[in-house]
Amino acid sequence: MTWILIIALVILMGLVLYSLIRGIVAFLQSTKIDLETGKGENVTEMQLLQNKMMFNRIKYQALAIVVVAILLAVSR
């Protein structure tokens, strides 16, 4: 049981990292587009992606905390 939870925790940590990196890249792209054009044509698309990735990051972090809490409960 604990091995399954540990594997789930590692997967969730990887998803958190992936979402964080994608969100940061979307932020940097929106900033770059805004600085180059000054109009912000594609900025809303990148901002939506950034918001989606940051929400996913929070969701995966919450799930990882739940898995850690279950691991702590099982270990006692």
Side-chain angles (χ1 to χ4, degrees), residues 19-20 22-35 37-56:
S19 297
L20 178 66
R22 289 258 338 248
I24 290 172
V25 168
F27 173 74
L28 292 175
Q29 286 178 349
S30 67
T31 304
K32 181 181 175 185
I33 291 170
D34 192 31
L35 288 174
T37 63
K39 297 179 183 178
E41 297 168 354
N42 295 334
V43 173
T44 57
E45 183 179 316
M46 286 297 145
Q47 287 173 345
L48 290 175
L49 179 64
Q50 175 189 356
N51 288 340
K52 180 181 172 188
M53 288 298 113
M54 290 302 140
F55 182 74
N56 284 342

Side-chain angles (χ1 to χ4, degrees), residues 9 12 15-16 20 54-67:
L9 182 62
L12 287 170
L15 288 171
V16 167
L20 178 66
M54 290 302 140
F55 182 74
N56 284 342
R57 179 184 59 85
I58 292 169
K59 180 175 53 176
Y60 295 138
Q61 281 178 333
L63 289 172
I65 290 171
V66 169
V67 170

